[in-house]
Amino acid sequence: MATFSSSPAWRALSDHSDAVGTLHSLFERDPHRASRYSLEVAGLFVDFSKNPVDDTTMSLLTALAREAGVEQRRDAMFAGERINETENRAVLHVALRERSSNKRIVDGVEVSGAVAAVLAKMRTFSDAVRSGAWRGYTGREITDVVNIGIGGSDLGPRMVCEALKPYGHERLSLHFVSNVDGADIAEVLKRTNPDTTLFIVSSKTFTTRETLTNARTARAWLLASGAPEEAVAKHFVAVSTNTSAVAEFGIDTANMFQFWDWVGGRYSLWSAIGLPIAVQIGMDGFEQLLDGAHAMDRHFAEAPLERNLPAILAMLGVWHQNFRGATSQLIAPYDNYLHRLPAYLQQLDMESNGKSVTLGGQRVDYATGAVIWGEPGTNGQHAFFQLLHQGTAVIPVDMIVCMRPHHGLSHHHDILVANCFAQSEALMNGSASTSEPHRNFEGNRPSNTICIDLLTPAALGALIALYEHKVFVQGVVWRINSFDQWGVELGKQLATAIEADIAASGEASTHDSSTNALINRYRARRNQTLVAA
Ligand code: G6Q
């Protein structure tokens, strides 16, 4: 049977790969290239002209996407079909941002009403915390809100809360605890007071070891401060799909915010997992975030692939990854508020497309998901940008920059933006020094520039949805299931046996010699007192 990589569109792209000129020559040949290779959607202007592609490349990439069935698969997702086949689930985070009278049926059950009801409950709760009506057990207003969750129950809300800090509430400080490393929660508890701190325990399954360990530590801290057992109801709420586990933990299920198994962890910030966002910026702001994402959804669902922004960015990624030898993708936000975006996109992209088996169960014979990494500009320029300019690897870059800042330091902003534009220009053009090879910059290095007028909740919603759909399209092209995460599930089981060995008496002997020795070393030393020399 012919594999995907020997399909007509794939072969045509392989044959075409060497025929594309350098970026420099492509710009020289076409004075209108910048306007022809850019799009404005849902408040985002994206210039993708600095990618080594011509019209033939673009039409072959679109043909590849069509051949892979991107449009059918997209329509199936929006229709609520169970496209997450290995978990036999629908994938409907797009339904969370519809906010219309559109009635959604999932598995025969009407869910729009339930979505609206959870949004209304989030509004009541976030309004109460923000206004000061929701008080701690001593009657004082809440000053600190701590989200306890990990992975999809942490990265999205954490990134959005950082990005939308300018919209934050004066009295409230948001904190995020994810790591089972006690240092994470210890540092937060050091800076907060039990009677004015509210914990949101976020876990889809409510079985995740890290989250439950941190939540128990937080509860013990509250009670150890002298708070009575009833105080737990005023200081703990939960976001989960697992009502019985929430009740078992001791959180009043009246204070539980529900979501559903058709919302994947890394796609869940739009659900009640976004509660910290609603608390920080208010429910109106949260709904603007949803609306921004919805505008991108409409575009993705309706625009032809030729003018479809998520599809274009996805296919450019496929071009770099499968035909030009790239293996990673740099995310460079020229915006400090977006400093968590690379970490967020790492999960979105790498957990979705870090797969090597097709939906049909075959091992792929082509590259799939890229390694995603990044840091805000201009910091990266003084560190790893050296490798972008003169290293041997080709690393496509997404530069993200806002036209207007949230602060009044316009001089800073001019310098920031100048750096962003200068980097993409230099990566594209390079510069030749005939006398000194070490000063030679080859250029021809690809980048996209994403321009946002002002980083509002709506613009951020559109940006996140753009990446979600980009990742989706790539997964379809690579014939993989972007919606499962068996590697994560494995991780959830792995430590259990070693935890038991650490707790047991006698030497560990059931593992390989390296693992046994490491366990025994830890056991011998963990209680040793450090004696100053
Ligand atoms: C996301 C993954 C994973 C998950 C965490 C937390 O898509 O499934 O990152 O979000 O493992 O899981 P819980 O929300 O169930 O605690």
Side-chain angles (χ1 to χ4, degrees):
M1 195 183 77
T3 67
F4 176 47
S5 53
S6 58
S7 75
W10 191 285
R11 283 193 153 169
L13 277 159
S14 289
D15 295 344
H16 164 77
S17 179
D18 291 337
V20 183
T22 63
L23 272 170
H24 192 68
S25 70
L26 290 167
F27 271 89
E28 275 190 341
R29 260 189 272 149
D30 177 4
H32 304 295
R33 181 173 171 86
S35 60
R36 292 200 310 113
Y37 284 79
S38 56
L39 266 184
E40 185 150 16
V41 176
L44 307 181
F45 174 80
V46 182
D47 177 344
F48 53 91
S49 62
K50 293 191 183 88
N51 286 283
V53 288
D54 59 20
D55 290 354
T56 307
T57 328
M58 293 309 284
S59 62
L60 287 173
L61 286 170
T62 309
L64 184 70
R66 290 226 158 84
E67 190 182 281
V70 165
E71 288 144 317
Q72 291 85 342
R73 202 84 185 150
R74 169 196 65 189
D75 296 348
M77 174 173 74
F78 277 92
E81 289 177 28
R82 295 187 187 192
I83 62 165
N84 176 359
E85 291 171 16
T86 55
E87 295 179 325
N88 193 25
R89 286 176 183 167
V91 174
L92 266 176
H93 46 282
V94 291
L96 297 169
R97 35 215 204 201
E98 281 176 343
R99 299 210 313 115
S100 66
S101 50
N102 201 5
K103 290 270 172 277
R104 276 260 169 210
I105 313 284
V106 180
D107 296 336
V109 179
E110 197 278 313
V111 296
S112 323
V115 170
V118 172
L119 286 174
K121 189 169 173 177
M122 288 170 71
R123 179 176 286 279
T124 308
F125 174 76
S126 55
D127 280 356
V129 174
R130 288 165 62 81
S131 71
W134 182 294
R135 288 173 185 250
Y137 79 99
T138 59
R140 293 176 67 196
E141 291 179 340
I142 298 298
T143 56
D144 294 85
V145 177
V146 183
N147 189 78
I148 297 180
I150 195 166
S153 301
D154 167 74
L155 288 159
R158 188 196 287 246
M159 179 273 285
V160 172
C161 284
E162 284 296 314
L164 298 178
K165 255 190 183 154
Y167 298 86
H169 189 283
E170 259 184 11
R171 194 190 65 247
L172 297 169
S173 297
L174 271 286
H175 311 266
F176 288 83
V177 170
S178 55
N179 202 336
V180 77
D181 182 340
D184 202 4
I185 192 156
E187 284 299 327
V188 171
L189 299 183
K190 250 191 234 172
R191 286 179 279 127
T192 46
N193 296 316
D195 61 335
T196 57
T197 300
L198 178 76
F199 294 94
I200 302 176
V201 185
S202 285
S203 175
K204 182 172 172 180
T205 54
F206 228 80
T207 57
T208 305
R209 191 95 167 98
E210 290 91 335
T211 301
L212 293 186
T213 304
N214 279 320
R216 284 192 197 103
T217 298
R219 190 177 55 187
W221 171 77
L222 173 70
L223 298 177
S225 75
E229 192 69 40
E230 310 82 77
V232 172
K234 293 200 179 294
H235 291 270
F236 281 80
V237 300
V239 182
S240 188
T241 57
N242 187 348
T243 315
S244 53
V246 168
E248 201 176 306
F249 180 86
I251 295 178
D252 185 348
T253 49
N255 296 335
M256 170 180 159
F257 298 79
Q258 216 201 342
F259 67 117
W260 307 271
D261 71 1
W262 42 266
V263 182
R266 57 195 169 278
Y267 300 88
S268 62
L269 74 88
W270 320 100
S271 70
I273 290 288
L275 195 59
I277 306 169
V279 169
Q280 176 172 278
I281 67 169
M283 199 59 193
D284 289 348
F286 185 73
E287 289 184 348
Q288 287 158 20
L289 183 82
L290 298 181
D291 292 349
H294 182 62
M296 187 58 73
D297 294 342
R298 294 276 29 101
H299 166 79
F300 179 53
E302 290 160 13
L305 293 184
E306 288 77 4
R307 305 293 294 162
N308 193 307
L309 193 52
I312 288 171
L313 294 189
M315 297 316 292
L316 288 170
V318 168
W319 174 238
H320 298 309
Q321 190 80 355
N322 296 113
F323 301 98
R324 310 281 291 193
T327 56
S328 83
Q329 159 81 61
L330 170 62
I331 306 293
Y334 277 73
D335 189 301
N336 238 41
Y337 288 119
L338 288 175
H339 73 103
R340 292 289 306 178
L341 184 69
Y344 168 77
L345 292 179
Q346 265 173 349
Q347 184 194 29
L348 175 66
D349 198 319
M350 294 166 76
E351 199 169 286
S352 297
N353 288 342
K355 315 277 164 72
S356 52
V357 170
T358 66
L359 281 164
Q362 276 122 13
R363 182 83 168 69
V364 296
D365 61 358
Y366 43 83
T368 58
V371 174
I372 306 292
W373 60 290
E375 270 288 310
T378 59
N379 295 354
Q381 289 173 212
H382 295 265
F384 53 77
F385 268 54
Q386 163 63 35
L387 185 145
L388 301 186
H389 288 289
Q390 289 190 306
T392 50
V394 172
I395 300 176
V397 189
D398 279 0
M399 311 233 174
I400 303 162
V401 63
C402 295
M403 301 295 97
R404 286 190 285 135
H406 276 293
H407 54 74
L409 305 169
S410 56
H411 177 55
H412 283 250
H413 203 62
D414 290 347
I415 298 172
L416 176 75
V417 174
N419 271 279
C420 173
F421 296 166
Q423 286 295 329
S424 66
E425 184 181 40
L427 287 168
M428 170 179 85
N429 283 333
S431 70
S433 166
T434 42
S435 54
E436 297 178 298
H438 58 276
R439 285 176 177 257
N440 194 36
F441 299 90
E442 285 171 6
N444 204 32
R445 303 193 174 209
S447 66
N448 297 308
T449 306
I450 302 179
C451 299
I452 301 171
D453 276 343
L454 182 69
L455 191 58
T456 59
L460 182 64
L463 181 71
I464 302 168
L466 171 64
Y467 277 104
E468 283 180 350
H469 296 319
K470 171 196 164 181
V471 167
F472 170 82
V473 169
Q474 292 187 330
V476 176
V477 169
W478 290 323
R479 311 305 209 245
I480 54 181
N481 182 2
S482 300
F483 297 105
D484 63 10
Q485 55 285 315
W486 295 102
V488 177
E489 306 309 327
L490 173 69
K492 289 187 179 185
Q493 294 143 24
L494 280 182
T496 318
I498 294 186
E499 262 185 65
D501 284 341
I502 287 172
S505 55
E507 298 247 305
S509 59
T510 55
H511 304 269
D512 57 88
S513 61
S514 162
T515 311
N516 284 336
L518 289 168
I519 295 170
N520 292 330
R521 182 179 182 84
Y522 174 65
R523 289 176 32 153
R525 297 184 173 226
R526 66 179 164 158
N527 295 325
Q528 264 179 13
T529 315
L530 276 185
V531 182

